[in-house]
Amino acid sequence: MPLIIVTGHPSSGKSTIVDRLAERFKEKGKEYQIIRDESYGGFDRKNYEFANKEKDLRSWIRSEVQQSLTKNKVIICDGLNYIKGYRYELFLAAKMSKTTYCVIQCSPSADTCHWLNEQKPESSRYSKELIDQLLMRYERPDTKFRWEKPLFEVKIGKAEKALPSEIDDDMPVDLEYPAPRFANIFDEEIVEWICNGTELTENQSTQTVPLAPTNFLHELDRSTQDVVTVILNAQRTAVRGQNLTIPGATDGANTIKFMKLRTLPELNRLRHQFVNMSKKDPTTDKEKIITGFVDFLNCNLR
Ligand SMILES: Nc1ncnc2c1ncn2[C@@H]1O[C@H](COP(=O)(O)OP(=O)(O)OP(=O)(O)O)[C@@H](O)[C@H]1O
């Protein structure tokens, strides 16, 4: 059950490339399945404007990937998949299956993304602002992490800059220039690796996974920021000596005594200290993180 994770910029030709790869697998008689954000019920690119909607979408994709992994089928996960920690979670599914695995990255320039976006039917376009936002949010794969390799970086650009070998005759060509006309997608290499490459082994993968997976860092960051926000809001109306209750912490260890007004820089400085300390002891249990942070603040706020 090989897994291919496609990651990239919005409107960067990901699905076009995935469809091409799927053709290659078909020619080889290899069973495959494409899991793509567009198949999510009620999908709209605007989902990426709202954190909660995007989170639901990510959960759906992850569970589809997990459920679809069967012995011989190639799973191609086609989406933005732009969060490192999320790609790590998908990788875990593949590692449990001791299968081949790779990442395909498609991240042409912002201009190219905007241009490609304009080529799509209106109903499947992103707004210009959303493209720019997603470009900023994009976390590039880094091959120093085991879950980001092998990495095949697809090059898409203008034909005038392409090597003759990169010009892709199968790609849609709009004679109205400036059009991206080439995409070097390494189909053969990818298919060869997925069909005959080295399979992940559980040990190898487990040993090389860093202690702190990035989804832990996201959770840690978000939860501690929430605590800071609660304190800043609560202290506006609090009286000296009052216990401020922090939601999400364990009962009995969920208060901070309000003695004086705290500033954002002061709280953030402590938050950063706590985050750095916690990296050595990763947990994705939100309650533990919040309770730990409350305890840390009680010990360190003077
Ligand atoms: N190399 C290329 N040259 C010219 N046009 C291309 C190329 N690749 C893709 N396109 C066109 O660009 C548009 C966007 O491509 P595609 O839908 O594959 O992008 P995507 O990254 O999957 O988008 P999304 O982020 O919405 O999932 C389509 O109209 C497609 O036909």
Side-chain angles (χ1 to χ4, degrees), residues 6 8-19 36-38 43 45 48 78-80 106 112-113 115-121 124-126 134 155-157 168 171-174 179-185:
V6 180
H9 290 162
S11 234
S12 57
K14 299 180 297 298
S15 297
T16 308
I17 277 147
V18 165
D19 290 343
R36 118 174 336 151
D37 52 6
E38 276 175 1
F43 174 79
R45 278 166 183 76
Y48 289 108
D78 174 13
L80 294 171
C106 204
T112 301
C113 294
W115 189 89
L116 291 175
N117 191 48
E118 294 295 314
Q119 311 314 305
K120 298 205 282 197
S124 8
R125 286 186 203 161
Y126 298 86
L134 287 167
K155 301 236 162 56
I156 295 185
D168 189 338
M171 281 294 162
V173 174
D174 185 335
R181 310 247 176 93
F182 76 91
N184 185 345
I185 82 156

Side-chain angles (χ1 to χ4, degrees), residues 11-227:
S11 234
S12 57
K14 299 180 297 298
S15 297
T16 308
I17 277 147
V18 165
D19 290 343
R20 289 246 328 239
L21 263 183
E23 277 301 306
R24 300 281 176 274
F25 285 118
K26 201 163 154 191
E27 284 159 21
K28 285 205 166 266
K30 192 97 187 148
E31 199 188 344
Y32 68 89
Q33 181 180 342
I34 300 172
I35 296 173
R36 118 174 336 151
D37 52 6
E38 276 175 1
S39 318
Y40 177 58
F43 174 79
D44 188 314
R45 278 166 183 76
K46 286 201 183 98
N47 285 12
Y48 289 108
E49 287 172 15
F50 306 97
N52 56 341
K53 289 192 179 166
E54 191 185 330
K55 200 170 161 198
D56 289 347
L57 171 62
R58 278 203 303 271
S59 304
W60 176 81
I61 295 178
R62 186 178 44 227
S63 99
E64 284 293 299
V65 168
Q66 284 162 347
Q67 284 168 28
S68 308
L69 291 169
T70 60
K71 190 77 191 114
N72 288 314
K73 196 163 45 170
V74 178
I75 304 294
I76 312 178
C77 179
D78 174 13
L80 294 171
N81 298 326
Y82 68 90
I83 300 174
K84 263 189 206 140
Y86 182 65
R87 292 195 293 268
Y88 170 73
E89 289 174 30
L90 296 173
F91 162 81
L92 286 184
K95 121 183 153 148
M96 300 309 286
S97 326
K98 301 179 189 158
T99 180
T100 49
Y101 167 89
C102 74
V103 179
I104 301 179
Q105 181 192 358
C106 204
S107 47
S109 70
D111 283 352
T112 301
C113 294
H114 281 288
W115 189 89
L116 291 175
N117 191 48
E118 294 295 314
Q119 311 314 305
K120 298 205 282 197
E122 203 145 339
S123 58
S124 8
R125 286 186 203 161
Y126 298 86
S127 68
K128 289 194 172 64
E129 297 72 27
L130 183 55
I131 292 203
D132 290 334
Q133 263 184 38
L134 287 167
L135 289 171
M136 279 198 301
R137 282 192 238 160
Y138 188 65
E139 297 177 358
R140 301 186 83 81
D142 182 342
T143 51
K144 78 169 180 258
F145 297 115
R146 171 136 198 89
W147 69 90
E148 309 275 42
K149 59 186 182 187
L151 178 70
F152 296 93
E153 193 180 346
V154 176
K155 301 236 162 56
I156 295 185
K158 291 173 185 169
E160 63 183 12
K161 290 191 191 155
L163 299 171
S165 61
E166 291 175 328
I167 301 222
D168 189 338
D169 294 330
D170 292 349
M171 281 294 162
V173 174
D174 185 335
L175 291 174
E176 293 294 317
Y177 203 69
R181 310 247 176 93
F182 76 91
N184 185 345
I185 82 156
F186 315 107
D187 320 22
E188 291 309 326
E189 287 95 322
I190 295 170
V191 171
E192 173 59 25
W193 173 261
I194 286 297
C195 295
N196 303 313
T198 315
E199 292 168 345
L200 296 174
T201 64
E202 250 182 283
N203 277 349
Q204 184 192 21
S205 328
T206 320
Q207 280 163 8
T208 48
V209 168
L211 275 174
T214 353
N215 61 322
F216 152 71
L217 295 178
H218 274 279
E219 192 58 69
L220 183 63
D221 210 50
R222 194 171 331 128
S223 303
T224 51
Q225 268 179 21
D226 288 350
V227 172

